[in-house]
Structures are given as C-alpha cells and as structure tokens.
Amino acid sequence: MSDTATNHHGAGEDHLDHPPHGSFKGYMIGFVLSVILTAIPFALVMTGVLDKSVTVPLILLMALVQIVVHMVYFLHMNMSVEDGWSMLALIFTVVFVIITLAGSMWVLYNMNANMMPMSMPVSPATQAATAVGG
Amino acid sequence: MMATQSHSHGSDTMNTQAYFDGDRPLFHLPKEPHHPDGHSTMLGFWIYLMSDCLLFAGLFATFAVLEHSYAGGPGPKELFELPLVALNTAMLLFSSITYGFSMLVMERGKKNATLMWLGITGLFGLAFLSIEMHEFAGLIAEGATPQSSAFLSAFFTLVGTHGLHVTLGTIWLVTLMVQVAQKGLIPANRRRLMCLSMFWHFLDIVWIGVFTFVYLMGVAQ
C-alpha cells in the first residue's frame, strides 16, 4: 500500500529513471579528499612521528572518513537513492559488519585469554589426558 | 492508511482506480503495473554489493582474529613494503576517478571519450593487479606462503579475494568496452556501465579497509 504513495509522488515529480550522477566538481572534491586522507595515514606510519597509541586511532578515523567520502562523492549515496531503499540496505549491512567484526574479535580474544597455557608442544596422548583431567 | 491518503488526493483518478474497487481498498493489485526495462537493476545490484560487503566482513573478522598468530614466522613489519602498498592505493584511486570521468562523458553521449576513459581505468586496474602479483610473488619467494602461519593464510585470503574481485571487474570492463564499441551507448549498456561503476567504487572502498587494517595497522603495531 505504501506503493500507492510512492507512485503518486513519482508521478507528481515527473521523476524519470535517472539515478543520481556526479559532476566533475564532485568527483574532483572526492579525489582530492581521498588523496589527503590516504597520504596522511601512510606518512604517519612510514615516518612513525607519533606514538602508536595516537597513530592507530588516527588512521582508523581517517579510513572511516575516507569511506564516507567515497560513498558520497563516488557512489552518490544519499537518503533519496531508490526512495531510501539503498540507504536502508546500507544501514542493515553496516550493523551486520559491526556485529561480525566486534563479535568475532571479542569472543575470540576471550577464548584466547582463557585458553590453557600450552608453552610446549603437546602430544595427542597428553592432550587427551589433560582433557579428561580438566 | 496510506491508501486512504492517496484516495483523498483525488486528483489522479487513474491512480485511485487502480487501487480501489469503489470505496473498498484493494490489497492486491488487479494487474502488475508496467515497469520500464531494468528499472530495478540498480537497487538489485546495490543489494548484491551489500552482500559482498558481508563476505568481506567475514574475511576481515578472520584476519582480525588471526592477525598475531605468526607461528614463529615473519610478521607484518618484516614482510610489508609500505611504498609498494601506497603505489597500489594510488593506482586504485586513479582508476576510481577515471571511471568517474567515463561516467560523466557517457551521460553526454560521447562514445569514444567513454571508451577512452574506460580503457585508462582498465590500465590502472591492470597496474594494480600487476603490483599485487609482484608483492605476492615476493612474499612467496621469501617463504611467506599462505601455509606458513594463520596470519599469512588470513592475509592471502583477504587480499587475494579483493584482488580476485578487481580481476573480475577488469574482465567485466573489457567486456563492456567491446559492447559499447559494437552497440554504442544504448540504455542497456549505460545501465551495465553504471553497475560496473558501483562495483568499481565499492572495490576501492574495500581497499581502504585493506590498507588501513592489514598494512598500516600491521606495521604500526
């Protein structure tokens, strides 16, 4: 039924099948920003001017900003592409990606931390014995 | 509720008739409205890209987990050559902007200029792939093979999958260049070029993740 509203809206605007396109200016802005946001993290890591604890969050931040720059200026994403369905699919994906990444790292970090220390190579027989004993 | 709103508009009787039987709202369309050819292709392709994104999320998560499992072998600091990675990044970024230019001239219906920019994009794509193959070959020659450690398995899987995507994208690009050369900038070809445009820019976005998480963070740590 929401289709009715969409059709109505579409007919009113005489909106043809024109997906959003960029302009030369838009592509150049995206390109220059990308160059800057690539050059800075590479320079930071290659020269090592800053402490590791500062460098890592900085390069992560710049990667995040650059992804947004690419989305906006190269992929022309906004709320109105395909009546917002593209953005909805993107938000769903971002949530999934965050859960996958954060969840895997969290769970497996804890598994690693709680593992029984195995400093020496263990033979299958000893391993079985430990498993029974533990 | 939506239907009532539309009904009350009343200006577009054709539209109203299609969804109402007298005052009774119709919950099923009497017949499928006509859709222009390929009108849903872009959204469908976007959803494919999002699913591809989930595939890469899985590989990134695997890499994040196995990142420090060197098995006594070499780590990122010994293996990665950042100048080479920077060059590779530049190649992919250049290919993104030249693809953008080909889309701009395509909109103005300039067939030869479109083909020229697509060709330049393809060359940058090939340069990226050559540098990556060179890097992989160097690593394997040093003995840092995918079998050496969990870190290297995850590395080759993640970066290799991205490289495979770029390879397929380049083959697709050549295919579309042949199509455009033969049939011109017909609507079907424009639609295909727009899909490849999304694919190509998407691969550049994945590469931002790769150079940041794999190379820069690996060396910084």
Side-chain angles (χ1 to χ4, degrees):
Chain A
M1 267 192 298
S2 66
D3 214 16
T4 329
T6 317
N7 279 352
H8 203 85
H9 181 69
E13 271 190 350
D14 190 29
H15 128 102
L16 294 166
D17 220 8
H18 279 317
H21 289 308
S23 59
F24 179 74
K25 198 182 155 199
Y27 277 113
M28 284 321 281
I29 293 173
F31 180 71
V32 171
L33 284 176
S34 298
V35 169
I36 296 169
L37 290 165
T38 303
I40 296 174
F42 268 98
L44 281 179
V45 174
M46 284 162 92
T47 58
V49 276
L50 297 173
D51 189 66
K52 190 189 111 186
S53 59
V54 187
T55 307
V56 171
L58 262 182
I59 60 176
L60 282 178
L61 179 75
M62 274 181 278
L64 209 64
V65 175
Q66 192 179 172
I67 287 173
V68 175
V69 166
H70 278 236
M71 283 272 176
V72 172
Y73 290 103
F74 293 163
L75 280 169
H76 318 305
M77 267 304 279
N78 59 53
M79 294 299 281
S80 60
V81 179
E82 303 281 351
D83 288 319
W85 289 108
S86 295
M87 185 57 89
L88 195 70
L90 177 65
I91 292 168
F92 170 78
T93 309
V94 168
V95 171
F96 244 73
V97 168
I98 291 172
I99 293 173
T100 309
L101 284 175
S104 304
M105 287 166 80
W106 181 33
V107 168
L108 280 140
Y109 173 81
N110 280 298
M111 274 182 70
N112 250 344
N114 296 325
M115 270 284 266
M116 218 177 287
M118 284 204 293
S119 48
M120 284 199 297
V122 188
S123 72
T126 340
Q127 217 167 15
T130 331
V132 171
Chain B
M1 209 174 108
M2 283 291 201
T4 328
Q5 267 176 358
S6 168
H7 189 55
S8 65
H9 263 287
S11 56
D12 193 347
T13 41
M14 285 296 284
N15 203 11
T16 318
Q17 266 171 8
Y19 301 96
F20 279 85
D21 179 20
D23 273 344
R24 196 168 62 88
L26 286 176
F27 295 105
H28 300 278
L29 299 183
K31 62 174 185 184
E32 185 66 17
H34 176 71
H35 293 306
D37 191 26
H39 88 290
S40 56
T41 306
M42 302 311 282
L43 179 59
F45 195 76
W46 179 257
I47 290 171
Y48 153 68
L49 286 184
M50 292 299 102
S51 71
D52 218 17
C53 207
L54 298 181
L55 178 139
F56 276 108
L59 295 177
F60 271 109
T62 311
F63 182 82
V65 166
L66 300 174
E67 206 174 0
H68 303 295
S69 310
Y70 305 134
K77 272 185 186 149
E78 295 89 64
L79 291 176
F80 297 154
E81 291 172 50
L82 286 187
L84 203 62
V85 182
L87 185 67
N88 233 355
T89 308
M91 291 301 122
L92 216 51
L93 193 54
F94 279 131
S95 81
S96 253
I97 187 82
T98 54
Y99 202 108
F101 290 159
S102 83
M103 296 306 283
L104 290 176
V105 287
M106 180 196 83
E107 275 168 57
R108 288 189 281 152
K110 293 185 176 173
K111 179 181 155 184
N112 289 333
T114 308
L115 282 173
M116 183 195 77
W117 284 116
L118 286 177
I120 295 173
T121 309
L123 290 179
F124 277 126
L126 283 179
F128 172 85
L129 287 171
S130 312
I131 296 169
E132 188 154 274
M133 295 301 268
H134 170 77
E135 189 202 4
F136 280 12
L139 288 176
I140 289 168
E142 282 176 50
T145 62
Q147 292 96 324
S148 313
S149 67
F151 153 68
L152 281 165
S153 305
F155 166 79
F156 277 103
T157 312
L158 173 58
V159 183
T161 305
H162 178 270
L164 203 61
H165 275 74
V166 178
T167 311
L168 292 173
T170 310
I171 294 171
W172 187 7
L173 186 100
V174 173
T175 314
L176 284 187
M177 281 177 71
V178 173
Q179 289 237 21
V180 170
Q182 287 186 343
K183 304 230 166 81
L185 292 171
I186 55 172
N189 277 344
R190 287 174 185 245
R191 196 169 65 232
R192 290 165 188 149
L193 284 172
M194 283 192 288
C195 282
L196 180 57
S197 158
M198 284 156 77
F199 186 72
W200 202 266
H201 292 310
F202 167 75
L203 289 182
D204 203 1
I205 291 181
V206 174
W207 184 254
I208 299 173
V210 172
F211 81 70
T212 305
F213 282 104
V214 178
Y215 291 103
L216 292 183
M217 300 234 323
V219 175
Q221 273 170 7

